[in-house]
Amino acid sequence: MARLPILAWEAISALGAGREALLAGLQAGRCALTHDSGQPFDTPCPVGVVRDELEALPAGAEAFDDRCHRLAWACLSRLEEPIERVKRAYGPERVAVVAATSASGFRELETMFVPGGAPPGFDYQNLVSFGCVARLVRQVSGVNGPAFTDSTACSSGANAFISAAGLLRAGICDAAIVGGAEALCATTYAGFRSLRVVDGEPCRPFDQERKGMSLGEGAAFFVLEREPGELGGDSPFLAGVGASLDAHHMTAPDPDGTGSELAMRAALDDAGLEPGGIGYINLHGTGTPLNDASEAASVARLFGRDVSCSSTKGGAGHLLGAASAFEIAISLAVLETGLLPANVNLQTADPELGISPLAEARQVDPPGFVMSNSFGFGGNNTAVVLGRAAR
Amino acid sequence: MSEVRILADGLMLPGMVGIPALEGWIRAGAPALPGSTVELPEGRVPPKLKRRITRLSAMAFCTGTEALERAGLPGEQAPLVWATANGEINTIGRIMDDLLGERGKVSPSQFHNSVYNAPTGYWGIATGRRFPSTTVSRGWLSFEYGLLEAWTRLQTGTRDVLLVAGDEAIEVPQWADPAHCTIDLCGSLLLSTREDRPALARITAVLHARASNQATVLERIHEWSSEHDTQVMVSDHRWEGVRCKPEPLGDFRNPCSGLLSLLRFLHAPVPSDTVVRGGRSLLLTRSDQDHDVLGVVVERP
């Protein structure tokens, strides 16, 4: 497909607020997962909590005020300059918003279910109905283009990129603000624990002793442009997208990874690349025995044992509805810096898996293309290829 | 621009399962609907899913397969776009009630049913098809944004898209707000760029506008209306002075009711009172609290 320049990005997670904090966390291979979560619910298993003070939403957006939206604002407030640039270049009505979440304002909604805790007049439309994330982004960004939310569980962010790519390629808009946000909440924490897929210690994706995932929270947002115009001359770009359904089970992946392989192949085709063109893969790698085995099977078939790859979920956890956006940000950081991030917490790679995740971060010449995988409940598989201009 | 055609459709409303039932309802003068809940027909959901699938996912499955069957393409590998405002909100409410109320825990067989994309997951499992799929949401414009998503896919190389849209009546007592969804509604459109099959209608434009004040939006709608010589349907009764049809659900409310307006237009006898100035086209527009307006221009043959 036509390459879509990514003018700027920002992220927030347990590794810190802003791109510099993320880059420092990746450089250090830091694990920010902790038992001491400070959450309003018990967290016997460690989580990745955003510790930074979250700034209140700006004037005019007060009705949207909740933690999920504040996480989004932490990114968007840092993207003010590129957002103003695309508004000036194309007009606010030509800038679209595609957001991603899989829990939106559940954290606030939960207060209604605590006996005696229901606040009167809970603002469902602005805090919970998932389209509110896109509406919030548009409100604080001052743009007037189409705005909606993609929600496909843990692959929501990649589907937001797919939707935005459609809007840009079809000429519905000239620029797009894309990203995802997710706040930790009791419901998803308890839900994943009920499935017995949460590790009691910080998660260890692809390790032979891996026992499950660790949950996290955060956000990542991006400014995309339709054509490499004067704004995004040598920006990294969205090169290709791919998606599939597993058609297997609501929570368990197809053990052979047939569905995820289809998504990766589709993304490669869309980017016009062979597998050898990919210099690094940010794996979905949740840390559950089944998910990692399924993904490793398809990655090994397509790319072989030696492809540079890692799951970064041992750092900030699994950001669920924001995971895909957050890991696309990490993948862009790889293109920009050449730092291949470590598969944090990996001690002994599972020899059965047939891939070689990076135990340590490695500095290389920045690759030309990287891939980011995200798979969600309902067997929703996605892969995104990102590239940069040859230097 | 590729021409987008509506090959077939499907629908479920209380007391109205399937397009033939819709046609009967239109012929009878669109009488009041008998209740708020769809009774799922026997034998439509594959037995292996019957005990696990949510009601909303079952409605999505039934209406999606209806469109494919009516188009004579029951095995088609069309990518699926699922559009919903509230998703599996009743399941979410039950889970929160279980967790935060007396029970104090979440049922492992319920949790995965809470995701917005549960219907597409069940669709894949039921059909064995592995095509791409997404779930889009945008409050009272969810169906219209689903149509925009399908439209952009069709404009960028995808031949067919199955759009399924719906919401269920909210049964969570914690927020009994009359502004919420009060009736089950689910429907589908099989959209295609292929020209070798009969079609119900073609979509000639999908339009978006937003202005910071209502007057500008109204002006924009009037412009579209005169440019396309079409009838205007708006969901928002505050807009006096615009030729409009009222909400098609009577006293009930559903975020995806724009889909019902479109299906009524597709299946009304021509000419009929739903078409003004003898035209065969419809400009279906909806707006929300953000003065966001999405319009779709549909032309019958």
Side-chain angles (χ1 to χ4, degrees), chain B residues 101-132:
Chain B
E102 283 177 7
R103 194 159 176 266
K105 61 179 183 180
V106 177
S107 159
S109 63
Q110 279 289 322
F111 178 55
H112 58 265
N113 282 336
S114 69
V115 294
Y116 262 47
N117 60 315
T120 69
Y122 281 116
W123 178 270
I125 295 165
T127 63
R129 293 172 208 159
R130 293 195 169 105
F131 42 67

PDB file of all heavy atoms in Angstrom, chain B residues 101-132:
ATOM      1  N   GLY B 101     -20.247  -7.393  43.715  1.00  0.00           N
ATOM      2  CA  GLY B 101     -21.355  -7.676  44.617  1.00  0.00           C
ATOM      3  C   GLY B 101     -21.009  -8.835  45.539  1.00  0.00           C
ATOM      4  O   GLY B 101     -19.838  -9.088  45.845  1.00  0.00           O
ATOM      5  N   GLU B 102     -22.024  -9.584  45.928  1.00  0.00           N
ATOM      6  CA  GLU B 102     -21.826 -10.622  46.945  1.00  0.00           C
ATOM      7  C   GLU B 102     -20.946 -11.774  46.481  1.00  0.00           C
ATOM      8  O   GLU B 102     -20.205 -12.360  47.256  1.00  0.00           O
ATOM      9  CB  GLU B 102     -23.189 -11.161  47.392  1.00  0.00           C
ATOM     10  CG  GLU B 102     -23.899 -10.206  48.335  1.00  0.00           C
ATOM     11  CD  GLU B 102     -25.273 -10.706  48.727  1.00  0.00           C
ATOM     12  OE1 GLU B 102     -25.621 -11.853  48.364  1.00  0.00           O
ATOM     13  OE2 GLU B 102     -25.999  -9.937  49.374  1.00  0.00           O
ATOM     14  N   ARG B 103     -21.043 -12.108  45.191  1.00  0.00           N
ATOM     15  CA  ARG B 103     -20.316 -13.286  44.707  1.00  0.00           C
ATOM     16  C   ARG B 103     -18.800 -13.089  44.805  1.00  0.00           C
ATOM     17  O   ARG B 103     -18.068 -14.003  45.156  1.00  0.00           O
ATOM     18  CB  ARG B 103     -20.738 -13.573  43.255  1.00  0.00           C
ATOM     19  CG  ARG B 103     -20.331 -14.918  42.753  1.00  0.00           C
ATOM     20  CD  ARG B 103     -21.179 -15.352  41.549  1.00  0.00           C
ATOM     21  NE  ARG B 103     -20.692 -16.622  41.040  1.00  0.00           N
ATOM     22  CZ  ARG B 103     -19.811 -16.729  40.051  1.00  0.00           C
ATOM     23  NH1 ARG B 103     -19.356 -15.651  39.467  1.00  0.00           N
ATOM     24  NH2 ARG B 103     -19.414 -17.918  39.649  1.00  0.00           N
ATOM     25  N   GLY B 104     -18.351 -11.892  44.466  1.00  0.00           N
ATOM     26  CA  GLY B 104     -16.953 -11.532  44.672  1.00  0.00           C
ATOM     27  C   GLY B 104     -15.976 -12.115  43.672  1.00  0.00           C
ATOM     28  O   GLY B 104     -14.778 -12.036  43.859  1.00  0.00           O
ATOM     29  N   LYS B 105     -16.475 -12.716  42.593  1.00  0.00           N
ATOM     30  CA  LYS B 105     -15.538 -13.213  41.571  1.00  0.00           C
ATOM     31  C   LYS B 105     -16.176 -13.239  40.190  1.00  0.00           C
ATOM     32  O   LYS B 105     -17.399 -13.132  40.051  1.00  0.00           O
ATOM     33  CB  LYS B 105     -15.000 -14.579  41.953  1.00  0.00           C
ATOM     34  CG  LYS B 105     -16.040 -15.650  42.096  1.00  0.00           C
ATOM     35  CD  LYS B 105     -15.352 -16.966  42.466  1.00  0.00           C
ATOM     36  CE  LYS B 105     -16.385 -18.083  42.543  1.00  0.00           C
ATOM     37  NZ  LYS B 105     -15.778 -19.364  42.905  1.00  0.00           N
ATOM     38  N   VAL B 106     -15.308 -13.397  39.216  1.00  0.00           N
ATOM     39  CA  VAL B 106     -15.742 -13.399  37.816  1.00  0.00           C
ATOM     40  C   VAL B 106     -15.813 -14.837  37.324  1.00  0.00           C
ATOM     41  O   VAL B 106     -14.913 -15.630  37.599  1.00  0.00           O
ATOM     42  CB  VAL B 106     -14.737 -12.614  36.944  1.00  0.00           C
ATOM     43  CG1 VAL B 106     -15.117 -12.669  35.469  1.00  0.00           C
ATOM     44  CG2 VAL B 106     -14.650 -11.167  37.411  1.00  0.00           C
ATOM     45  N   SER B 107     -16.854 -15.144  36.586  1.00  0.00           N
ATOM     46  CA  SER B 107     -16.956 -16.481  36.003  1.00  0.00           C
ATOM     47  C   SER B 107     -16.022 -16.585  34.803  1.00  0.00           C
ATOM     48  O   SER B 107     -16.083 -15.760  33.891  1.00  0.00           O
ATOM     49  CB  SER B 107     -18.399 -16.742  35.558  1.00  0.00           C
ATOM     50  OG  SER B 107     -18.403 -17.777  34.586  1.00  0.00           O
ATOM     51  N   PRO B 108     -15.148 -17.622  34.782  1.00  0.00           N
ATOM     52  CA  PRO B 108     -14.225 -17.755  33.650  1.00  0.00           C
ATOM     53  C   PRO B 108     -14.941 -18.015  32.327  1.00  0.00           C
ATOM     54  O   PRO B 108     -14.370 -17.784  31.266  1.00  0.00           O
ATOM     55  CB  PRO B 108     -13.340 -18.946  34.051  1.00  0.00           C
ATOM     56  CG  PRO B 108     -14.097 -19.678  35.103  1.00  0.00           C
ATOM     57  CD  PRO B 108     -14.966 -18.676  35.794  1.00  0.00           C
ATOM     58  N   SER B 109     -16.179 -18.469  32.391  1.00  0.00           N
ATOM     59  CA  SER B 109     -16.887 -18.708  31.127  1.00  0.00           C
ATOM     60  C   SER B 109     -17.601 -17.448  30.628  1.00  0.00           C
ATOM     61  O   SER B 109     -18.175 -17.442  29.551  1.00  0.00           O
ATOM     62  CB  SER B 109     -17.896 -19.850  31.291  1.00  0.00           C
ATOM     63  OG  SER B 109     -18.869 -19.481  32.245  1.00  0.00           O
ATOM     64  N   GLN B 110     -17.584 -16.388  31.423  1.00  0.00           N
ATOM     65  CA  GLN B 110     -18.249 -15.146  31.031  1.00  0.00           C
ATOM     66  C   GLN B 110     -17.277 -14.095  30.516  1.00  0.00           C
ATOM     67  O   GLN B 110     -17.611 -13.299  29.640  1.00  0.00           O
ATOM     68  CB  GLN B 110     -18.978 -14.538  32.257  1.00  0.00           C
ATOM     69  CG  GLN B 110     -20.324 -15.161  32.540  1.00  0.00           C
ATOM     70  CD  GLN B 110     -21.345 -14.768  31.499  1.00  0.00           C
ATOM     71  OE1 GLN B 110     -21.371 -13.655  31.031  1.00  0.00           O
ATOM     72  NE2 GLN B 110     -22.180 -15.724  31.113  1.00  0.00           N
ATOM     73  N   PHE B 111     -16.053 -14.069  31.090  1.00  0.00           N
ATOM     74  CA  PHE B 111     -15.173 -12.921  30.890  1.00  0.00           C
ATOM     75  C   PHE B 111     -14.921 -12.613  29.411  1.00  0.00           C
ATOM     76  O   PHE B 111     -15.032 -11.476  28.966  1.00  0.00           O
ATOM     77  CB  PHE B 111     -13.853 -13.149  31.638  1.00  0.00           C
ATOM     78  CG  PHE B 111     -12.865 -12.041  31.441  1.00  0.00           C
ATOM     79  CD1 PHE B 111     -13.209 -10.724  31.726  1.00  0.00           C
ATOM     80  CD2 PHE B 111     -11.587 -12.299  30.960  1.00  0.00           C
ATOM     81  CE1 PHE B 111     -12.301  -9.689  31.543  1.00  0.00           C
ATOM     82  CE2 PHE B 111     -10.678 -11.267  30.783  1.00  0.00           C
ATOM     83  CZ  PHE B 111     -11.034  -9.966  31.065  1.00  0.00           C
ATOM     84  N   HIS B 112     -14.593 -13.650  28.641  1.00  0.00           N
ATOM     85  CA  HIS B 112     -14.254 -13.390  27.230  1.00  0.00           C
ATOM     86  C   HIS B 112     -15.470 -12.911  26.440  1.00  0.00           C
ATOM     87  O   HIS B 112     -15.318 -12.365  25.351  1.00  0.00           O
ATOM     88  CB  HIS B 112     -13.651 -14.644  26.587  1.00  0.00           C
ATOM     89  CG  HIS B 112     -14.563 -15.831  26.643  1.00  0.00           C
ATOM     90  ND1 HIS B 112     -14.485 -16.772  27.643  1.00  0.00           N
ATOM     91  CD2 HIS B 112     -15.573 -16.204  25.847  1.00  0.00           C
ATOM     92  CE1 HIS B 112     -15.418 -17.693  27.436  1.00  0.00           C
ATOM     93  NE2 HIS B 112     -16.091 -17.362  26.365  1.00  0.00           N
ATOM     94  N   ASN B 113     -16.660 -13.122  26.984  1.00  0.00           N
ATOM     95  CA  ASN B 113     -17.846 -12.633  26.285  1.00  0.00           C
ATOM     96  C   ASN B 113     -18.060 -11.129  26.475  1.00  0.00           C
ATOM     97  O   ASN B 113     -18.992 -10.565  25.932  1.00  0.00           O
ATOM     98  CB  ASN B 113     -19.098 -13.373  26.778  1.00  0.00           C
ATOM     99  CG  ASN B 113     -19.211 -14.760  26.178  1.00  0.00           C
ATOM    100  OD1 ASN B 113     -18.651 -15.013  25.115  1.00  0.00           O
ATOM    101  ND2 ASN B 113     -19.924 -15.649  26.848  1.00  0.00           N
ATOM    102  N   SER B 114     -17.194 -10.493  27.274  1.00  0.00           N
ATOM    103  CA  SER B 114     -17.391  -9.073  27.541  1.00  0.00           C
ATOM    104  C   SER B 114     -16.732  -8.180  26.496  1.00  0.00           C
ATOM    105  O   SER B 114     -16.975  -6.986  26.471  1.00  0.00           O
ATOM    106  CB  SER B 114     -16.819  -8.724  28.919  1.00  0.00           C
ATOM    107  OG  SER B 114     -15.401  -8.820  28.904  1.00  0.00           O
ATOM    108  N   VAL B 115     -15.874  -8.736  25.630  1.00  0.00           N
ATOM    109  CA  VAL B 115     -15.166  -7.875  24.680  1.00  0.00           C
ATOM    110  C   VAL B 115     -16.108  -7.398  23.568  1.00  0.00           C
ATOM    111  O   VAL B 115     -17.038  -8.101  23.187  1.00  0.00           O
ATOM    112  CB  VAL B 115     -13.917  -8.570  24.079  1.00  0.00           C
ATOM    113  CG1 VAL B 115     -12.877  -8.805  25.174  1.00  0.00           C
ATOM    114  CG2 VAL B 115     -14.272  -9.881  23.396  1.00  0.00           C
ATOM    115  N   TYR B 116     -15.852  -6.184  23.089  1.00  0.00           N
ATOM    116  CA  TYR B 116     -16.718  -5.608  22.047  1.00  0.00           C
ATOM    117  C   TYR B 116     -16.747  -6.465  20.789  1.00  0.00           C
ATOM    118  O   TYR B 116     -17.706  -6.447  20.035  1.00  0.00           O
ATOM    119  CB  TYR B 116     -16.234  -4.191  21.696  1.00  0.00           C
ATOM    120  CG  TYR B 116     -16.985  -3.078  22.395  1.00  0.00           C
ATOM    121  CD1 TYR B 116     -17.235  -3.134  23.756  1.00  0.00           C
ATOM    122  CD2 TYR B 116     -17.435  -1.961  21.694  1.00  0.00           C
ATOM    123  CE1 TYR B 116     -17.912  -2.117  24.398  1.00  0.00           C
ATOM    124  CE2 TYR B 116     -18.112  -0.931  22.336  1.00  0.00           C
ATOM    125  CZ  TYR B 116     -18.353  -1.010  23.685  1.00  0.00           C
ATOM    126  OH  TYR B 116     -19.025   0.002  24.319  1.00  0.00           O
ATOM    127  N   ASN B 117     -15.648  -7.183  20.552  1.00  0.00           N
ATOM    128  CA  ASN B 117     -15.572  -7.970  19.325  1.00  0.00           C
ATOM    129  C   ASN B 117     -16.014  -9.421  19.528  1.00  0.00           C
ATOM    130  O   ASN B 117     -15.731 -10.262  18.673  1.00  0.00           O
ATOM    131  CB  ASN B 117     -14.145  -7.936  18.756  1.00  0.00           C
ATOM    132  CG  ASN B 117     -13.112  -8.496  19.727  1.00  0.00           C
ATOM    133  OD1 ASN B 117     -13.139  -8.165  20.900  1.00  0.00           O
ATOM    134  ND2 ASN B 117     -12.223  -9.345  19.254  1.00  0.00           N
ATOM    135  N   ALA B 118     -16.714  -9.726  20.611  1.00  0.00           N
ATOM    136  CA  ALA B 118     -17.183 -11.105  20.812  1.00  0.00           C
ATOM    137  C   ALA B 118     -17.957 -11.631  19.595  1.00  0.00           C
ATOM    138  O   ALA B 118     -17.721 -12.769  19.162  1.00  0.00           O
ATOM    139  CB  ALA B 118     -18.028 -11.203  22.084  1.00  0.00           C
ATOM    140  N   PRO B 119     -18.860 -10.843  18.982  1.00  0.00           N
ATOM    141  CA  PRO B 119     -19.589 -11.395  17.831  1.00  0.00           C
ATOM    142  C   PRO B 119     -18.696 -11.810  16.671  1.00  0.00           C
ATOM    143  O   PRO B 119     -18.971 -12.810  16.010  1.00  0.00           O
ATOM    144  CB  PRO B 119     -20.512 -10.235  17.419  1.00  0.00           C
ATOM    145  CG  PRO B 119     -20.729  -9.474  18.693  1.00  0.00           C
ATOM    146  CD  PRO B 119     -19.401  -9.531  19.393  1.00  0.00           C
ATOM    147  N   THR B 120     -17.596 -11.085  16.441  1.00  0.00           N
ATOM    148  CA  THR B 120     -16.735 -11.484  15.317  1.00  0.00           C
ATOM    149  C   THR B 120     -15.951 -12.739  15.669  1.00  0.00           C
ATOM    150  O   THR B 120     -15.676 -13.566  14.797  1.00  0.00           O
ATOM    151  CB  THR B 120     -15.761 -10.359  14.904  1.00  0.00           C
ATOM    152  OG1 THR B 120     -14.779 -10.174  15.930  1.00  0.00           O
ATOM    153  CG2 THR B 120     -16.485  -9.053  14.670  1.00  0.00           C
ATOM    154  N   GLY B 121     -15.604 -12.896  16.947  1.00  0.00           N
ATOM    155  CA  GLY B 121     -14.920 -14.116  17.362  1.00  0.00           C
ATOM    156  C   GLY B 121     -15.814 -15.326  17.162  1.00  0.00           C
ATOM    157  O   GLY B 121     -15.392 -16.343  16.600  1.00  0.00           O
ATOM    158  N   TYR B 122     -17.061 -15.210  17.602  1.00  0.00           N
ATOM    159  CA  TYR B 122     -17.998 -16.330  17.421  1.00  0.00           C
ATOM    160  C   TYR B 122     -18.272 -16.580  15.936  1.00  0.00           C
ATOM    161  O   TYR B 122     -18.476 -17.714  15.516  1.00  0.00           O
ATOM    162  CB  TYR B 122     -19.299 -16.067  18.185  1.00  0.00           C
ATOM    163  CG  TYR B 122     -19.158 -16.362  19.667  1.00  0.00           C
ATOM    164  CD1 TYR B 122     -19.284 -15.353  20.615  1.00  0.00           C
ATOM    165  CD2 TYR B 122     -18.883 -17.651  20.104  1.00  0.00           C
ATOM    166  CE1 TYR B 122     -19.147 -15.624  21.973  1.00  0.00           C
ATOM    167  CE2 TYR B 122     -18.745 -17.937  21.457  1.00  0.00           C
ATOM    168  CZ  TYR B 122     -18.875 -16.920  22.381  1.00  0.00           C
ATOM    169  OH  TYR B 122     -18.732 -17.205  23.710  1.00  0.00           O
ATOM    170  N   TRP B 123     -18.304 -15.496  15.170  1.00  0.00           N
ATOM    171  CA  TRP B 123     -18.523 -15.644  13.716  1.00  0.00           C
ATOM    172  C   TRP B 123     -17.422 -16.507  13.123  1.00  0.00           C
ATOM    173  O   TRP B 123     -17.678 -17.444  12.363  1.00  0.00           O
ATOM    174  CB  TRP B 123     -18.543 -14.247  13.072  1.00  0.00           C
ATOM    175  CG  TRP B 123     -18.711 -14.286  11.591  1.00  0.00           C
ATOM    176  CD1 TRP B 123     -17.707 -14.350  10.662  1.00  0.00           C
ATOM    177  CD2 TRP B 123     -19.948 -14.302  10.862  1.00  0.00           C
ATOM    178  NE1 TRP B 123     -18.236 -14.394   9.400  1.00  0.00           N
ATOM    179  CE2 TRP B 123     -19.600 -14.360   9.486  1.00  0.00           C
ATOM    180  CE3 TRP B 123     -21.286 -14.266  11.223  1.00  0.00           C
ATOM    181  CZ2 TRP B 123     -20.566 -14.380   8.490  1.00  0.00           C
ATOM    182  CZ3 TRP B 123     -22.244 -14.283  10.217  1.00  0.00           C
ATOM    183  CH2 TRP B 123     -21.889 -14.344   8.885  1.00  0.00           C
ATOM    184  N   GLY B 124     -16.174 -16.210  13.495  1.00  0.00           N
ATOM    185  CA  GLY B 124     -15.053 -16.989  12.967  1.00  0.00           C
ATOM    186  C   GLY B 124     -15.137 -18.444  13.382  1.00  0.00           C
ATOM    187  O   GLY B 124     -14.942 -19.351  12.572  1.00  0.00           O
ATOM    188  N   ILE B 125     -15.439 -18.659  14.662  1.00  0.00           N
ATOM    189  CA  ILE B 125     -15.504 -20.034  15.174  1.00  0.00           C
ATOM    190  C   ILE B 125     -16.637 -20.804  14.479  1.00  0.00           C
ATOM    191  O   ILE B 125     -16.479 -21.955  14.082  1.00  0.00           O
ATOM    192  CB  ILE B 125     -15.700 -20.035  16.704  1.00  0.00           C
ATOM    193  CG1 ILE B 125     -14.472 -19.422  17.387  1.00  0.00           C
ATOM    194  CG2 ILE B 125     -15.957 -21.448  17.222  1.00  0.00           C
ATOM    195  CD1 ILE B 125     -14.693 -19.053  18.839  1.00  0.00           C
ATOM    196  N   ALA B 126     -17.776 -20.141  14.303  1.00  0.00           N
ATOM    197  CA  ALA B 126     -18.942 -20.815  13.715  1.00  0.00           C
ATOM    198  C   ALA B 126     -18.735 -21.132  12.241  1.00  0.00           C
ATOM    199  O   ALA B 126     -19.185 -22.163  11.756  1.00  0.00           O
ATOM    200  CB  ALA B 126     -20.188 -19.948  13.891  1.00  0.00           C
ATOM    201  N   THR B 127     -18.061 -20.238  11.524  1.00  0.00           N
ATOM    202  CA  THR B 127     -17.957 -20.407  10.072  1.00  0.00           C
ATOM    203  C   THR B 127     -16.624 -21.001   9.643  1.00  0.00           C
ATOM    204  O   THR B 127     -16.495 -21.447   8.506  1.00  0.00           O
ATOM    205  CB  THR B 127     -18.105 -19.047   9.352  1.00  0.00           C
ATOM    206  OG1 THR B 127     -17.018 -18.201   9.761  1.00  0.00           O
ATOM    207  CG2 THR B 127     -19.433 -18.383   9.695  1.00  0.00           C
ATOM    208  N   GLY B 128     -15.626 -20.959  10.538  1.00  0.00           N
ATOM    209  CA  GLY B 128     -14.295 -21.427  10.157  1.00  0.00           C
ATOM    210  C   GLY B 128     -13.570 -20.486   9.216  1.00  0.00           C
ATOM    211  O   GLY B 128     -12.513 -20.813   8.688  1.00  0.00           O
ATOM    212  N   ARG B 129     -14.112 -19.289   9.032  1.00  0.00           N
ATOM    213  CA  ARG B 129     -13.492 -18.347   8.083  1.00  0.00           C
ATOM    214  C   ARG B 129     -12.482 -17.468   8.817  1.00  0.00           C
ATOM    215  O   ARG B 129     -12.719 -17.053   9.942  1.00  0.00           O
ATOM    216  CB  ARG B 129     -14.573 -17.492   7.415  1.00  0.00           C
ATOM    217  CG  ARG B 129     -15.461 -18.338   6.526  1.00  0.00           C
ATOM    218  CD  ARG B 129     -16.643 -17.556   6.008  1.00  0.00           C
ATOM    219  NE  ARG B 129     -17.745 -18.483   5.768  1.00  0.00           N
ATOM    220  CZ  ARG B 129     -19.021 -18.128   5.695  1.00  0.00           C
ATOM    221  NH1 ARG B 129     -19.354 -16.866   5.855  1.00  0.00           N
ATOM    222  NH2 ARG B 129     -19.952 -19.021   5.487  1.00  0.00           N
ATOM    223  N   ARG B 130     -11.401 -17.166   8.123  1.00  0.00           N
ATOM    224  CA  ARG B 130     -10.285 -16.485   8.787  1.00  0.00           C
ATOM    225  C   ARG B 130     -10.014 -15.099   8.207  1.00  0.00           C
ATOM    226  O   ARG B 130      -8.927 -14.565   8.352  1.00  0.00           O
ATOM    227  CB  ARG B 130      -9.025 -17.336   8.673  1.00  0.00           C
ATOM    228  CG  ARG B 130      -9.086 -18.644   9.461  1.00  0.00           C
ATOM    229  CD  ARG B 130      -7.698 -19.225   9.599  1.00  0.00           C
ATOM    230  NE  ARG B 130      -7.657 -20.314  10.552  1.00  0.00           N
ATOM    231  CZ  ARG B 130      -7.577 -21.593  10.207  1.00  0.00           C
ATOM    232  NH1 ARG B 130      -7.538 -21.939   8.942  1.00  0.00           N
ATOM    233  NH2 ARG B 130      -7.533 -22.529  11.138  1.00  0.00           N
ATOM    234  N   PHE B 131     -11.011 -14.507   7.568  1.00  0.00           N
ATOM    235  CA  PHE B 131     -10.805 -13.195   6.950  1.00  0.00           C
ATOM    236  C   PHE B 131     -10.629 -12.105   8.008  1.00  0.00           C
ATOM    237  O   PHE B 131     -10.961 -12.299   9.175  1.00  0.00           O
ATOM    238  CB  PHE B 131     -11.994 -12.851   6.063  1.00  0.00           C
ATOM    239  CG  PHE B 131     -13.294 -13.211   6.693  1.00  0.00           C
ATOM    240  CD1 PHE B 131     -13.720 -12.546   7.826  1.00  0.00           C
ATOM    241  CD2 PHE B 131     -14.062 -14.236   6.193  1.00  0.00           C
ATOM    242  CE1 PHE B 131     -14.895 -12.895   8.446  1.00  0.00           C
ATOM    243  CE2 PHE B 131     -15.244 -14.592   6.819  1.00  0.00           C
ATOM    244  CZ  PHE B 131     -15.653 -13.921   7.939  1.00  0.00           C
ATOM    245  N   PRO B 132     -10.122 -10.931   7.609  1.00  0.00           N
ATOM    246  CA  PRO B 132      -9.958  -9.839   8.571  1.00  0.00           C
ATOM    247  C   PRO B 132     -11.295  -9.373   9.130  1.00  0.00           C
ATOM    248  O   PRO B 132     -12.342  -9.531   8.505  1.00  0.00           O
ATOM    249  CB  PRO B 132      -9.334  -8.715   7.732  1.00  0.00           C
ATOM    250  CG  PRO B 132      -8.794  -9.372   6.521  1.00  0.00           C
ATOM    251  CD  PRO B 132      -9.644 -10.572   6.271  1.00  0.00           C
TER     252      PRO B 132
END
